[in-house]
Each structure stands twice: as structure tokens, then as C-alpha cells.
Amino acid sequence: MRISLRQLSVFLSVARHQSYTRAAEELNLTQPAVFTQVKQLEESLGVPLLDRIGKRMQPTEAGQVVVEGARETLDAVGRMEMRLADMRGLREGRLTLAIVSTAQYFLPRLLGQFCDANPGIEVALTVTNRQAVLARLAAGEDDLCILGTPPEGLDVVAAAIADNPLVIIARPDHPLASETEIPPERVAEEAFILRERGSGTRLAVERFFRARGLTLPVRMELGSNEAIKQAVIGGLGLAALSRDTLALEGAVGIVRVLDVAGFPLLRQWQAAYPRGKHLSVAAEAFLDHLAAHARDAVRDSGRVLPGRTGAAMAGSEGPLRET
């Protein structure tokens, strides 16, 4: 019987997402390549591992056994690699990271600095949505996960590394663009474009309005910050996004941050890992790097917003409050 760690890793992704397509997106592979890896694993083991139920791929009874065994095997290999990396210090090693898509606006810069200083470290970076990051965090698949506030009930260690202000944006010619101290009640009369359900940004913004007895009229749900910005530019409505996503659009003046009472919502970026997980030397060094440099990197990513946004941005330098 010949099975590979790669096959086990691919199968775990399919089982977790219950989808070949979602697994392919997570692993940056084609769907046929993912299907082939799972098929080869089934042929090696001599049992079917997945059943198609509707549009979902559910592990069979044998598949569930393989899920458990694959996790144990990959965890053991990961622990072995970490112990060997610890022996070598930072000369060699592997660092695995999973980040929510909004963090891609500042995290690669920090990662580049770290890799320049530690050229022997191999890095695997997964950029995905909040739900997928939470699943990876719960399963301990990565050294560190970068996201907003982890949900209660997930037993993790989380360290705040930088501010993450959320703002409401519109086209510059929107009727609200020239107003100041706009009441939330007025904003809630406008059509909104929001991230998908489960997004940290959406959860925070909806919580803010719900606390005031307001419900946002959602015109459209999109799973990409870039798509949301284009929808706003196209005049489809207002949007709530992390300030970190807006440097380019703000610099050329094609979006405007609205002066809404209570905004920006001041949240924090968190670096998290399961409680009890042994961090490798590389992971601990990168966590220290985040603590030392993430605030400057985030601040620089949103520095060029024009017009009325100055006051709102200045407010993000004050004490953080959970919203």
C-alpha cells in the first residue's frame, strides 16, 4: 500500500470543505488534480472514501477513519519537523500561515521583511475567508492564523498585533459624501453591499447597527473586497470595509469614506493558534516580528486616504474598543 502525505493533505481538505472545488481553491490546484489525488488514495486503500450527497462530498465510514488517521499522521509529521527546526534554529524551517483575505493588504509586506531576514525559512501562506480560517485554526493546521477577533468557544491563544478600523464608503458623488456626523439611522436607509455571511467585517457592522435597532438593507453579497469596491464605484450602494483595503482607491479619489457617527469601528487584527500547540522557532520569531512591526505596516497601508477621512483615521490611533 502506497499513500503519500500529499494525498492525505488533499483528502483532508476535500473532507473539510465537502467539495472538490473548494479544496482546489484552498490548495491552489485544479479540480482534476484534487480529484486524482483522492482517487489514487482510494485505490491504494481499496475502499471508497467519499459519497456524493446532493452537491456535497461526505466521508464514508472508511473515509472518516482516514480523516482521523490523516490528521494524526500529519500532526506527527508536523511535530517532527518542528523539533528538527528547533534544533536548527532559524537557519532552516517551515512556517505555515492562514489569513483572512482582508489581511492580504498588509501581511505580505511583513512576511517579505521576515523572509529577507531569515532566508532559510520556507513559508506556506493560505489566503481565504474567515470561515475557512476558523476551520483551519480549530484543526491546528497552521502555525499561526491572522484574523479578526476569534469567536468565543474556540480554545485558542490570540495576540492583538494591529488596529483594524472599519469604515463606510460611497462614491464621491453620493449625496452623503459631503455630510458630517451622519446619523446611523440615515445610513441605514441606503442600499448596502456586504461581504458574505460569516465574514468578520459583516458581523461587526451588523452588530453595530443591530445594537441601535437598525437593519441594513442588503442589495448584494460579495465574497471579495475588490468586488465590493467595484460595486460601490459602480453606484450600487454603500459598503463597510476595513480601512486597510482602500489605499489605492482613496489615493485616486474614486471612493469616499463617509463621516458616520460611531465610525470607524475600531477592531484589532489577531494572531492566533490553538491553546497547547507547540510553536516552532520560526513561528515564535514571526509572532515577535508581527508584534514589533504590524502596527506600522497596517498604518502605512491606509495612510493615503484623501479628503474627509483624516479625522476618522486619526481616531484609530486612540484606545481600542471592541464593537
Side-chain angles (χ1 to χ4, degrees):
M1 180 173 61
R2 289 187 176 184
I3 60 177
S4 69
L5 295 178
R6 181 61 168 169
Q7 290 170 348
L8 294 178
S9 179
V10 170
F11 174 68
L12 273 183
S13 182
V14 175
R16 183 173 62 253
H17 291 295
Q18 299 182 348
S19 165
Y20 286 111
T21 301
R22 294 281 300 280
E25 292 172 353
E26 179 182 71
L27 299 170
N28 291 319
L29 296 173
T30 64
Q31 184 174 335
V34 170
F35 179 83
T36 297
Q37 291 285 330
V38 173
K39 191 65 176 176
Q40 290 174 348
L41 180 61
E42 288 180 323
E43 291 173 352
S44 295
L45 296 175
V47 290
L49 301 179
L50 295 168
D51 280 333
R52 181 178 293 278
I53 302 177
K55 294 184 178 181
R56 295 185 178 276
M57 304 302 301
Q58 299 272 18
T60 62
E61 184 177 357
Q64 192 57 49
V65 171
V66 175
V67 166
E68 296 170 3
R71 284 176 177 164
E72 293 175 0
T73 299
L74 294 174
D75 285 347
V77 171
R79 289 193 297 271
M80 177 191 69
E81 290 177 338
M82 282 192 292
R83 291 179 63 185
L84 293 174
D86 288 349
M87 294 177 185
R88 296 189 296 263
L90 282 178
R91 291 174 300 167
E92 297 179 38
R94 179 176 172 83
L95 177 66
T96 60
L97 304 170
I99 68 174
V100 294
S101 57
T102 304
Q104 67 184 305
Y105 294 91
F106 70 90
L107 198 284
R109 185 184 318 167
L110 290 164
L111 192 55
Q113 296 168 353
F114 180 77
C115 290
D116 285 345
N118 304 282
I121 301 299
E122 177 188 352
V123 178
L125 175 64
T126 299
V127 182
T128 184
N129 60 36
R130 175 180 168 86
Q131 294 296 89
V133 170
L134 290 177
R136 296 177 68 91
L137 177 59
E141 294 187 25
D142 305 282
D143 293 315
L144 295 170
C145 294
I146 310 299
L147 70 166
T149 306
E152 296 181 3
L154 197 59
D155 191 15
V156 301
V157 177
I161 58 172
D163 299 353
N164 178 24
L166 304 183
V167 296
I168 294 180
I169 63 171
R171 276 170 49 128
D173 59 356
H174 191 279
L176 295 179
S178 60
E179 296 190 18
T180 61
E181 283 295 309
I182 307 166
E185 293 79 4
R186 173 65 183 88
V187 173
E189 296 174 0
E190 298 290 326
F192 264 76
I193 303 115
L194 294 179
R195 287 291 303 265
E196 74 284 358
R197 294 186 183 275
S199 158
T201 298
R202 177 167 180 165
L203 289 171
V205 172
E206 288 187 328
R207 187 164 61 240
F208 171 87
F209 283 95
R210 187 166 55 248
R212 291 155 179 80
L214 302 170
T215 301
L216 294 179
V218 181
R219 169 174 286 176
M220 187 178 299
E221 295 181 0
L222 295 172
S224 159
N225 294 322
E226 296 304 314
I228 288 176
K229 287 186 287 187
Q230 292 302 316
V232 171
I233 293 168
L236 292 175
L238 307 184
L241 289 176
S242 170
R243 188 194 66 190
D244 302 329
T245 68
L246 302 174
L248 177 60
E249 290 78 13
V252 297
I254 56 177
V255 298
R256 178 68 58 87
V257 174
L258 299 185
D259 185 6
V260 178
F263 280 79
L265 295 183
L266 299 178
R267 303 169 71 231
Q268 291 179 302
W269 287 113
Q270 307 268 348
Y273 57 93
R275 192 177 302 279
K277 182 182 180 68
H278 171 72
L279 291 185
S280 66
V281 170
E284 288 184 345
F286 187 64
L287 192 56
D288 290 341
H289 181 74
L290 291 175
H293 302 292
R295 292 185 185 276
D296 289 340
V298 170
R299 188 179 301 117
D300 290 345
S301 72
R303 181 166 289 169
V304 297
L305 285 171
R308 194 178 303 281
T309 62
M313 290 170 62
S316 69
E317 301 301 321
L320 291 175
R321 62 182 183 276
E322 185 61 30
T323 56

